[in-house]
Amino acid sequence: MERKPVRWMGDSRKRLREFPDAVRFEIGQALYQAELGERHPSAYAMQGLNALEIVSDCRGDTYRGIYTN
């Protein structure tokens, strides 16, 4: 299976690197699964948009990433 490329918008890649390690791992796994055409359990469809939101909780904080396919 051919992987879909990831294209980063603006400074999103830089900001992701600032997240805690556990969050970066979870979002990275979700993006990898998206590259393969799959959906990670932490990815939710955003109502009214052709996008998915990855939600990751860590130490009482919630982090989000958004992607389209």
Side-chain angles (χ1 to χ4, degrees), residues 16-50:
L16 177 62
R17 288 182 177 146
E18 296 170 356
F19 289 178
D21 289 343
V23 174
R24 287 191 353 241
F25 180 80
E26 185 170 16
I27 290 176
Q29 288 295 308
L31 291 174
Y32 177 71
Q33 285 188 263
E35 287 180 82
L36 299 176
E38 302 170 2
R39 185 189 289 188
H40 189 272
S42 296
Y44 303 94
M46 296 182 72
Q47 207 169 32
L49 299 173
N50 184 26

